Amino acid sequence: MQHALRSDSCARRAHRRLALAIGIVFVGVCLGSTAATADAFRGGALYDKWWAVNAAPEPTMDHPLYPPEGSRSGSTTHRCKECHGWDYKGVDGAYGIGSSHFTGISGVFGSTLSAAEMFDLIKSADGDGTGGTVVNGHGFGALGLSDADIDDLVEFLQTLVIDTDNYIDAGAQFIGDAAQGDALYNGAALCAACHGANGTQINFGTTEDPVFIGTVAVENPWEFIHKVRFGQPDGSMPSYVLNGGTNQDAADIGLHAQSLPTGGGGGPRPDVIPTVSEWGALLLALGLLLVGVRVFTRS
């Protein structure tokens, strides 16, 4: 009888140990699931303008790491894209020497940092939270990004950063199929529903100097493809890739958009050189002005 009771007691203890072990494993799985549930597409929108995504207060001061070489100020200096570029290549890409966005900071494309290292670098001012063993800590944990936000941003950096050279050539033209882009723009991608068939239904600029979807595609194709891939951070335009599109679809749409009106009602932009006919018109106007001046002085 006593032997039976001891056996039963041992069995109960074994069952309790098994239950405890299962519970520990379950808790461990739950605690370790953060990366698995992180949202890389939300991270891509955070990379664009994080306070428009997480509804945090917009920063007012310059970011502590923004260099004196830069020409921007205030909240703009807190946008990841402002230093690392829409092409993710920083000083080695479109925001290199000669760009008005030049900072001299390297990009995130091809980074060899682990997810944990990226998390610490983004969150802590000292880079690792323990005393500064990692330099250039961004300190975003105290500036408005939650741990979940940083998880999403890291997931984007680890999984969805692309080599934009595969989709945009050295002349800043999209590499793709314009006819397919036209079909997507006016069909499945639903671009035309908001931007209009010729891309002028939404003006991002002013009446005097309009900026249309075609303007962005021509002047900053890297921004264009990022926004098609991840949407507008304020939610006014969803991610096309998240809704079934591909990166190549985004490039095809971009190539079509580069054929749409670019605005410029306020006059040619600094990077636009007048055509031969425009030079002729300018010379004619100058000639008429000189004739008028001579006639006036003689009289």
Side-chain angles (χ1 to χ4, degrees), residues 5 28 37 54 73 76 89-90 120-121 148 177 213 250 261 271 287 291 296:
L5 289 173
T37 57
N54 67 2
S73 62
T76 301
K89 297 180 179 180
D120 290 337
L121 189 66
D177 184 332
I213 191 172
D271 57 347
V291 170
F296 177 77

Side-chain angles (χ1 to χ4, degrees), residues 239-270:
S239 160
Y240 177 53
V241 174
L242 184 60
N243 286 281
T246 67
N247 294 332
Q248 187 56 59
D249 288 339
D252 292 341
I253 294 171
L255 185 57
H256 169 67
Q258 287 182 325
S259 70
L260 299 177
T262 58
R269 299 175 185 276

Side-chain angles (χ1 to χ4, degrees), residues 173-220:
Q173 184 173 34
F174 280 104
I175 302 169
D177 184 332
Q180 174 69 3
D182 186 352
L184 289 171
Y185 179 92
N186 289 288
L190 301 176
C191 307
C194 291
H195 293 284
N198 68 350
T200 62
Q201 195 160 299
I202 297 178
N203 179 6
F204 306 110
T206 64
T207 302
E208 295 75 20
D209 191 12
V211 176
F212 303 125
I213 191 172
T215 319
V216 179
V218 169
E219 296 186 359
N220 198 336

Side-chain angles (χ1 to χ4, degrees), residues 59-82:
T60 56
M61 305 296 290
D62 292 0
H63 190 280
L65 291 184
Y66 191 74
E69 293 85 354
S71 61
R72 299 304 192 266
S73 62
S75 63
T76 301
T77 65
H78 291 252
R79 298 175 70 180
C80 305
K81 75 88 192 173
E82 190 56 41

